[in-house]
């Protein structure tokens, strides 16, 4: 069912009103609404089955980012995050992309790597060729362990062999199984395949297999997003759109050449991606690991995004990075809210989910760069952070908005200031 992702005045509604609006927009059932409205969507029994030593559950805010149009389809983006400004920034940047059609995305096939480490090999170059000569046999053996994946069109596709002739532990081979995992994240599948082929590789090389494990540098499983914004859509009260574009490109260049800046720059990208990964029950640690390793692929840690100006003076941004997300297995099938998130997104494949994730990351990066290139990051961020300060000071109900307004007006957002203002108000 097509949806309108713009959600006008959504921020001004109370949480219950927002939920009612989404219920009507998405046709959510009573059970879905209850999952979002009531505490304890994840039962203690289910939580106890997911990980070890469970004693309770830990909740984070669950929000919806608006305005996203991706490949011609409006998408509502569920985000689970505690940091103020993330949802607002992503939603506003998505709004700016709409006049030019929103985000364009694409992705490669869902290929993951399983690594098999072989040590104790005296003739590593000869052993490498022995493995490659037996590639078909290795692939067939790996695929014998997952008939369901084969029926779905996935399975082991290729074998690579990397030679380390002079490691500190002597000659070493590392064989990579290249596996199409379809709509799974793929960890269990590729790990099982690696363990299955290990004895055969030992016989072929005369070496000893040590590690048999996937690589989180999923450099064959890439997702890509593009956006284009005309200068007039970047105008502010204090800066012309053309000035904003120059500032964004300068800020990006800083991240491209300096790893200290790049770390914060890329963290901002992950501010958008991680909350979506969490909301859908995927492994955000795996995505983070792959992202930062990919940022070093040239031998220098740099920006994951690129920002340029096209021949018409429009700002164009791109993001290409590993995105190993799944729709099946793990918490995506276990956690009720993860399942609901996938229904809200309306995705049918893991590749589509990955493409949405990088679009959110690109939007979030633009939000940070635009702020840095103009009034600075703190004005907007502190205005939103003021709500947290007000709540921590003990403000409740109408006191929260009053206290936020007072702190923002005086540009003094501090816990002690909030407490003083609140005491004065209550004293009156």
């Amino acid at each position: 069912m097509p949806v309108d992702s713009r959600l006008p005045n959504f921020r001004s509604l109370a949480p219950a009103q927002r939920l009612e609006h989404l219920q009507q927009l998405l046709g959510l059932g009573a059970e879905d609404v209850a999952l979002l409205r009531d505490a304890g969507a994840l039962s203690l029994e289910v939580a106890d089955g997911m990980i070890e030593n469970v004693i309770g559950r830990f909740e984070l805010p669950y929000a919806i980012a608006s305005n996203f149009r991706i490949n011609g389809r409006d998408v509502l983006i569920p985000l689970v995050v505690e940091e103020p400004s993330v949802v607002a920034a992503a939603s506003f940047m998505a709004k700016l992309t709409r006049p030019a059609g929103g985000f364009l995305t694409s992705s490669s096939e869902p290929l993951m790597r399983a690594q098999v480490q072989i040590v104790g090999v005296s003739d590593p170059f000869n052993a490498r060729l022995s493995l490659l000569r037996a590639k078909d046999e290795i692939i067939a053996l790996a695929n014998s362990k997952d008939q369901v994946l084969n029926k779905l069109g996935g399975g082991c596709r290729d074998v690579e062999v990397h030679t380390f002739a002079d490691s500190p532990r002597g000659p070493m081979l590392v064989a990579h199984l290249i596996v199409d995992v379809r709509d799974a994240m793929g960890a269990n599948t590729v790990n099982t395949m690696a363990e299955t082929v290990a004895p055969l590789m030992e016989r072929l090389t005369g070496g000893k297999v040590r590690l048999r494990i996937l690589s989180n540098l999923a450099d064959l499983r890439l997702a890509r997003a593009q956006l284009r914004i005309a200068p007039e859509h970047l105008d502010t009260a204090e800066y012309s759109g053309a000035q904003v574009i120059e500032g964004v490109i300068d800020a990006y260049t800083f991240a491209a050449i300096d790893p200290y800046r790049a770390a914060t720059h890329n963290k901002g990208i992950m501010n958008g991606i991680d909350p979506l990964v969490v909301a859908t029950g995927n492994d955000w640690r795996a995505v983070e690991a792959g992202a930062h390793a990919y940022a070093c692929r040239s031998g220098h840690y740099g920006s994951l995004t690129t920002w340029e100006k096209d021949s018409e003076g429009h700002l164009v941004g791109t993001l290409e990075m590993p995105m190993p997300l799944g729709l099946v297995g793990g918490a995506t099938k276990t956690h009720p809210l993860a399942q609901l998130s996938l229904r809200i997104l309306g995705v049918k494949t893991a590749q589509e989910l990955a493409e949405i994730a990088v679009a959110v990351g690109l939007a979030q990066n633009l939000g940070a760069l635009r702020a840095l290139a103009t009034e600075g990051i703190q004005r907007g961020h502190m205005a939103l952070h003021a709500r947290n300060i007000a709540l921590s000071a003990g403000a409740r109900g109408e006191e929260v908005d009053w206290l936020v307004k007072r702190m923002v007006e005086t540009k003094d957002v501090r816990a002690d200031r909030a407490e003083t203002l609140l005491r004065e108000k209550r004293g009156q």
Side-chain angles (χ1 to χ4, degrees):
M1 178 181 67
V3 300
D4 185 345
S5 68
R6 287 173 289 186
L7 304 182
N9 302 317
F10 199 64
R11 186 172 183 272
S12 64
L13 300 176
Q17 294 173 311
R18 294 179 193 137
L19 184 53
E20 181 180 0
H21 181 75
L22 280 183
Q23 182 181 15
Q24 296 173 355
L25 183 65
L26 299 171
L28 299 178
E31 292 183 359
D32 292 332
V33 172
L35 287 175
L36 293 165
R37 181 191 61 221
D38 303 330
L42 177 65
S43 71
L44 193 60
E45 291 76 17
V46 172
D48 191 44
M50 292 174 67
I51 62 170
E52 309 78 28
N53 299 343
V54 169
I55 60 170
R57 294 142 300 174
F58 184 93
E59 294 186 338
L60 287 170
Y62 184 112
I64 295 291
S66 59
N67 298 315
F68 277 83
R69 189 164 182 80
I70 301 173
N71 293 338
R73 181 174 78 90
D74 274 27
V75 185
L76 297 175
I77 312 290
L79 300 176
V80 173
V81 65
E82 85 296 340
E83 183 173 336
S85 80
V86 168
V87 179
S91 299
F92 184 44
M93 294 306 104
K95 183 178 181 180
L96 297 184
T97 70
R98 292 183 73 91
F103 298 86
L104 299 177
T105 65
S106 62
S107 56
S108 61
E109 293 201 64
L111 300 177
M112 297 293 290
R113 295 178 185 268
Q115 294 184 291
V116 181
Q117 177 196 28
I118 308 167
V119 299
V121 180
S122 59
D123 56 343
F125 295 101
N126 180 60
R128 174 179 176 271
L129 295 190
S130 296
L131 288 174
L132 292 175
R133 189 175 66 250
K135 182 174 73 171
D136 291 344
E137 182 183 0
I138 294 169
I139 291 173
L141 180 59
N143 283 331
S144 69
K145 282 296 180 179
D146 199 330
Q147 295 304 317
V148 173
L149 183 61
N150 295 332
K151 290 178 182 178
L152 293 173
C156 186
R157 293 285 179 262
D158 199 2
V159 176
E160 297 176 356
V161 185
H162 300 253
T163 305
F164 301 90
D166 190 26
S167 84
R169 296 284 288 172
M172 185 184 301
L173 293 178
V174 181
H176 288 196
L177 303 181
I178 310 301
V179 184
D180 184 334
V181 297
R182 295 287 85 196
D183 287 325
M185 185 273 172
N188 290 332
T189 295
V190 299
N191 289 345
T192 299
M193 288 184 175
E195 292 177 359
T196 299
V197 302
L200 173 59
M201 290 187 174
E202 287 182 335
R203 291 197 300 272
L204 290 167
T205 63
K208 173 66 178 177
V209 168
R210 295 293 191 196
L211 271 62
R212 296 144 292 168
I213 185 72
L214 90 159
S215 170
N216 285 127
L217 177 51
D219 59 354
L220 297 177
R221 192 176 187 178
L222 302 176
R224 316 174 190 95
Q226 305 163 255
L227 65 78
R228 181 174 183 265
I229 301 178
E232 59 266 26
H233 296 129
L234 290 168
D235 288 338
T236 72
E238 300 168 349
Y239 298 88
S240 70
Q243 289 175 314
V244 173
I245 289 174
E246 294 301 321
V248 166
I249 295 174
D250 282 342
Y252 151 68
T253 304
F254 183 9
I257 63 175
D258 178 41
Y260 292 94
R261 172 60 201 146
T264 311
H265 176 96
N266 290 339
K267 187 267 184 182
I269 295 168
M270 304 313 293
N271 272 351
I273 292 172
D274 284 346
L276 176 59
V277 177
V278 173
T280 56
N282 274 278
D283 186 347
W284 62 267
R285 284 94 44 206
V287 174
E288 281 274 351
H292 295 294
Y294 194 71
C296 299
R297 66 192 182 281
S298 66
H300 165 86
Y301 185 86
S303 170
L304 286 165
T305 54
T306 63
W307 294 94
E308 306 165 291
K309 186 167 59 175
D310 69 11
S311 59
E312 298 177 41
H314 295 71
L315 179 67
V316 290
T318 62
L319 172 58
E320 180 179 44
M321 62 181 286
M323 195 52 60
L325 301 182
L327 302 185
V328 297
T332 59
K333 284 295 186 184
T334 305
H335 200 305
L337 280 177
Q339 297 173 52
L340 178 56
S341 295
L342 293 172
R343 294 201 299 275
I344 290 173
L345 288 162
V347 294
K348 303 300 182 185
T349 67
Q351 287 175 261
E352 188 179 3
L353 177 59
E355 292 174 18
I356 291 173
V358 291
V360 179
L362 186 59
Q364 191 66 31
N365 186 225
L366 177 58
L369 295 180
R370 176 181 175 274
L372 287 166
T374 54
E375 73 269 13
I377 202 73
Q378 286 299 85
R379 180 191 293 183
H381 181 75
M382 291 308 292
L384 291 166
H385 184 56
R387 295 190 66 84
N388 276 345
I389 296 293
L391 288 169
S392 67
R396 296 295 181 266
E398 294 179 356
E399 292 176 334
V400 176
D401 289 336
W402 175 86
L403 190 52
V404 167
K405 183 178 180 182
R406 288 292 302 275
M407 289 191 291
V408 171
E409 283 177 346
T410 59
K411 298 181 181 180
D412 190 5
V413 182
R414 294 179 291 114
D416 57 339
R417 175 64 173 158
E419 291 170 0
T420 299
L421 289 170
L422 192 58
R423 282 195 302 269
E424 292 175 354
K425 178 177 175 59
R426 289 174 174 175
Q428 294 170 359

